[in-house]
Amino acid sequence: MGFFSEYINGANAYIKKINSEGGVFGRRIELLSYDDQYDPEKTVYYTQKLINDDKVFALLNYVGTPTGTKIVPIVEEAKIPLVGIGSGAQIFREPLKEYIYNLRPSYHQEADAFISGIVEELGIKKIAIFYQYDAYGFDGLKGAEISLERYGLKPTAIASYERGSLDVGGALATIKDSGAEAVFIVGVYGPTAEFIKQARAQNFNPIFGNLSFTGSEALAKELGADGNGVVVMQVVPPPTEKNLLIGVDDYINDLNASLPGHEATFSGLEGYADAEVFVEGLKRAGKELTRENFMNGLESIEKYDLGLASPVNFSATQHQGMQRVYATYLRDEKFVLFRDWKTAEFNVKKEEMQ
């Protein structure tokens, strides 16, 4: 299950529900989607197609940092609103992008949540960084370095891998030799799983922390038993929290109506939340729908409750709607939500580390 397909499945589930209820002011929403295969040049091509050929009203749910970066000037030139980017990169946040509305917290916030947890709660100071050598990886690396600097720390080691490669052995050797007690990973599930599995095989067992973009469910499947204790920071709660959070329950119910029997996922829930905020903007725009009214509607959203224990706030000067980061760790290929780093059942305790 890829991030993009699940992201769109979640958005579709919400939009289908809205359309079944008559749409917004009698207007049904049509969602067009193209697969750019995480190729920036294809992202540019399909964005121009959506704007110039398909004549869409707005854009929704783009995925990726290197891909999204390429279309920022296109969006700004066309003056077309884009709601929801499956990336926490700063380029979509600072300086403020007039036409881009992010829902998810930034990678810097995810990095800080992980590093503050292990430093303040567990007393860990030897932290290495393993990252993907591209715009996504550079952004996560920068966020981790900023967080470490707050505690007067520097990475014990920094190592990378090439996007699309599983060649992680050299990076692992560098990080293992540094004596790191924790490794912050800015990657995607394939190379990340390979890195962790090789580390386990060498009896190198620091706390592994990951960004949400890694691809949670795919990572869990790839790791199997080697995943126990691996931490993944999230921008939405686990889909298993349906009995505690009404937003998760709504997502699962609407997903089942849209795709019966389909597995609920983190990226699906994020896409669903993005679509709900998109529709809320349409409602607040009123019957006379224009892009300007739509953007004004989005910017009027304050303390909006998605049922995810993370209220949404936008304004003319704030285009990131959510601020909360959720900490999870793997246990038997399932994600466990936690708040207390001292009592979380990590697979390897600090005193057992090599």
Side-chain angles (χ1 to χ4, degrees), residues 26 65 67 73 80 84 86 100 108 132 188 191 198 272 275 277 301 350:
T65 304
T67 48
I80 185 169
I100 295 178
H108 287 203
Q132 180 169 286
V188 294
Q198 287 189 25
Y272 182 90
V277 169
I301 293 175
K350 182 183 175 186

Side-chain angles (χ1 to χ4, degrees), residues 255-274:
L255 180 66
N256 284 334
S258 176
L259 295 170
H262 193 80
E263 181 182 348
T265 63
F266 284 98
S267 51
L269 178 54
E270 182 180 350
Y272 182 90
D274 285 346

Side-chain angles (χ1 to χ4, degrees), residues 13 242 249-264:
K242 62 181 181 179
D249 195 44
D250 290 343
Y251 159 60
I252 291 174
N253 289 337
D254 292 337
L255 180 66
N256 284 334
S258 176
L259 295 170
H262 193 80
E263 181 182 348

Side-chain angles (χ1 to χ4, degrees), residues 167-204:
D167 184 6
V168 301
L172 174 58
T174 297
I175 289 175
K176 182 182 178 184
D177 288 347
S178 76
E181 298 174 300
V183 181
F184 181 65
I185 302 174
V186 188
V188 294
Y189 71 88
T192 297
E194 184 66 19
F195 181 88
I196 295 173
K197 286 190 290 186
Q198 287 189 25
R200 299 287 199 216
Q202 296 177 31
N203 200 30
F204 176 52

Side-chain angles (χ1 to χ4, degrees), residues 48-272:
Q48 292 172 330
K49 178 175 173 59
L50 285 165
I51 296 171
N52 300 321
D53 298 340
D54 298 323
K55 308 291 184 183
V56 297
F57 170 74
L59 302 172
L60 173 70
N61 285 16
Y62 271 54
V63 174
T65 304
T67 48
T69 298
K70 288 286 188 179
I71 58 88
V72 170
I74 298 173
V75 168
E76 292 176 338
E77 182 180 358
K79 298 182 178 180
I80 185 169
L82 165 56
V83 179
I85 297 184
S87 167
Q90 293 301 105
I91 190 172
F92 307 122
R93 292 161 172 78
E94 295 179 359
L96 180 78
K97 301 297 186 290
E98 182 178 0
Y99 296 97
I100 295 178
Y101 296 83
N102 304 281
L103 189 61
R104 60 156 47 220
S106 70
Y107 291 146
H108 287 203
Q109 288 172 291
E110 291 187 53
D112 192 63
F114 174 74
I115 289 170
S116 63
I118 61 174
V119 173
E120 293 182 14
E121 301 298 322
L122 302 181
I124 289 175
K125 294 183 178 180
K126 294 182 178 181
I127 303 166
I129 303 171
F130 175 56
Y131 71 99
Q132 180 169 286
Y133 196 82
D134 66 358
Y136 160 55
F138 301 149
D139 193 271
L141 169 64
K142 182 65 174 178
E145 289 178 320
I146 290 172
S147 295
L148 287 170
E149 189 175 346
R150 287 201 302 116
Y151 297 101
L153 301 174
K154 291 184 178 181
T156 60
I158 298 175
S160 66
Y161 71 92
E162 295 292 332
R163 187 173 73 195
S165 171
L166 294 178
D167 184 6
V168 301
L172 174 58
T174 297
I175 289 175
K176 182 182 178 184
D177 288 347
S178 76
E181 298 174 300
V183 181
F184 181 65
I185 302 174
V186 188
V188 294
Y189 71 88
T192 297
E194 184 66 19
F195 181 88
I196 295 173
K197 286 190 290 186
Q198 287 189 25
R200 299 287 199 216
Q202 296 177 31
N203 200 30
F204 176 52
N205 293 304
I207 293 176
F208 296 104
N210 297 270
L211 290 178
S212 59
F213 192 73
T214 189
S216 297
E217 290 83 10
L219 178 65
K221 184 177 180 180
E222 286 284 328
L223 285 173
D226 284 331
N228 285 333
V230 170
V231 176
V232 182
M233 310 310 293
Q234 308 287 359
V235 297
V236 292
T240 52
E241 298 296 316
K242 62 181 181 179
N243 294 325
L244 297 176
L245 297 170
I246 190 171
V248 176
D249 195 44
D250 290 343
Y251 159 60
I252 291 174
N253 289 337
D254 292 337
L255 180 66
N256 284 334
S258 176
L259 295 170
H262 193 80
E263 181 182 348
T265 63
F266 284 98
S267 51
L269 178 54
E270 182 180 350
Y272 182 90

Side-chain angles (χ1 to χ4, degrees), residues 328-346:
T328 67
Y329 67 89
L330 272 168
R331 184 172 64 199
D332 300 327
E333 297 186 35
K334 302 295 183 183
F335 286 93
V336 179
L337 183 67
F338 74 96
R339 291 186 179 181
D340 190 337
W341 291 80
K342 292 181 179 178
T343 60
E345 297 177 9
F346 297 114

